[in-house]
Amino acid sequence: MNGDHANRVPKIIFVGVDGVLVRFAEQMSDAANAAALAFHKHIENIAPVGIREAAPSLTAVYLKLDLDADIVQVVQSVTEEVHARDWFAEPMLQSRVWTIPCSFDGPQLSEAAQLAGVNETQAVAQITATQVRVLTLGFAPGQPYLGNLESHWNIARMDGVAPRIPARALVVAVAQLIIFSNETPTGWRHIGQSAFQCFDQNRAEPFAFQAGDRVQFVSAARSEIDALWDDSFGGARLEVVS
């Protein structure tokens, strides 16, 4: 490891009887997330014997072990792969870019903007000017955690829970954005509405997003969003970068 990452050597943690967690950092950062995604992609590409499943999170990769394999050998192999290279130095995945229309008229836009120290106009301008990245998928099928916004958007979740936020809503907290897959209660603040379906079982690829995708929001009127509701991708455009 080079000096910049000497204190960020991945940790290998056993989880239950058949799981290994490769953790790249205790706290979320772009560097740790990119390292986790790079390691996950590597494991998927080499498909090592004894690994039944690999799943990335914000700063780690979970590996489900095959208990019929030689576990000692599998763990040794995983350890060798973890230390084979500086995962923090791997290039960040940037192969796909989504452009997604969104109406910024959520009931908590003003409150979220105030907590971030800006007005509503500035809030919308900053969010639409920032190309966020799919850090991980979770909580609901295909649901993305998108980040990171500038540090002043590191606003806390609400003390309470909003009982009903609609599907495809855009919410914000902890310098991240989420498009909800389903109607759900949440402690994140509702700032906008898209027509984008993160998960659609009728599509050839039900999950729209992949970890590492880039996302750019563009401001649209609510009438435009309503008109896009029957479009599975809600008027979004996907560019594949070579």
Side-chain angles (χ1 to χ4, degrees):
M1 294 285 176
N2 62 40
D4 291 340
H5 303 300
N7 296 322
R8 295 192 283 184
V9 176
K11 295 180 180 179
I12 300 175
I13 304 165
F14 290 95
V15 181
V17 297
D18 63 349
V20 169
L21 190 70
V22 181
R23 178 178 290 163
F24 291 84
E26 296 290 339
Q27 295 183 339
M28 170 60 201
S29 70
D30 279 342
N33 180 251
L37 295 184
F39 181 72
H40 173 257
K41 186 173 181 64
H42 173 70
I43 291 296
E44 294 231 307
N45 286 341
I46 66 173
V49 174
I51 302 296
R52 299 184 61 184
E53 179 183 352
S57 68
L58 291 175
T59 62
V61 177
Y62 172 77
L63 304 175
K64 185 176 179 64
L65 308 182
D66 183 352
L67 294 181
D68 292 329
D70 183 337
I71 297 300
V72 173
Q73 180 60 43
V74 173
V75 172
Q76 180 179 340
S77 176
V78 169
T79 302
E80 290 172 356
E81 294 299 335
V82 167
H83 295 285
R85 67 181 76 167
D86 181 356
W87 296 103
F88 288 92
E90 292 295 302
M92 193 172 291
L93 304 176
Q94 298 187 32
S95 58
R96 308 196 324 163
V97 180
W98 292 91
T99 302
I100 302 178
C102 179
S103 62
F104 288 89
D105 53 0
Q108 294 166 307
L109 174 62
S110 178
E111 179 183 353
Q114 183 177 10
L115 289 169
V118 295
N119 61 39
E120 291 185 34
T121 300
Q122 291 170 326
V124 174
Q126 290 178 6
I127 290 171
T128 55
T130 304
Q131 194 175 87
V132 288
R133 186 163 52 88
V134 178
L135 303 172
T136 191
L137 303 175
F139 183 75
Q143 184 165 294
Y145 288 79
L146 305 167
N148 281 331
L149 298 174
E150 292 294 326
S151 59
H152 60 274
W153 281 101
N154 190 20
I155 62 177
R157 298 173 180 85
M158 298 185 295
D159 291 335
V161 174
R164 179 180 177 274
I165 301 296
R168 314 186 205 182
L170 184 68
V171 299
V172 65
V174 292
Q176 295 175 32
L177 300 164
I178 292 175
I179 302 175
F180 279 140
S181 292
N182 305 306
E183 179 182 305
T184 184
T186 185
W188 293 50
R189 288 176 174 82
H190 181 192
I191 62 171
Q193 185 66 49
S194 79
F196 188 91
Q197 292 192 58
C198 303
F199 173 82
D200 183 349
Q201 62 184 356
N202 296 316
R203 292 193 300 238
E205 294 291 338
F207 285 20
F209 293 119
Q210 299 174 8
D213 284 358
R214 296 279 176 171
V215 178
Q216 186 89 48
F217 290 100
V218 293
S219 184
R222 176 54 72 98
S223 59
E224 295 177 68
I225 299 301
D226 292 343
L228 293 167
W229 202 256
D230 292 333
D231 176 2
S232 180
F233 290 110
R237 184 176 73 255
L238 174 61
E239 177 186 5
V240 179
V241 180
S242 59

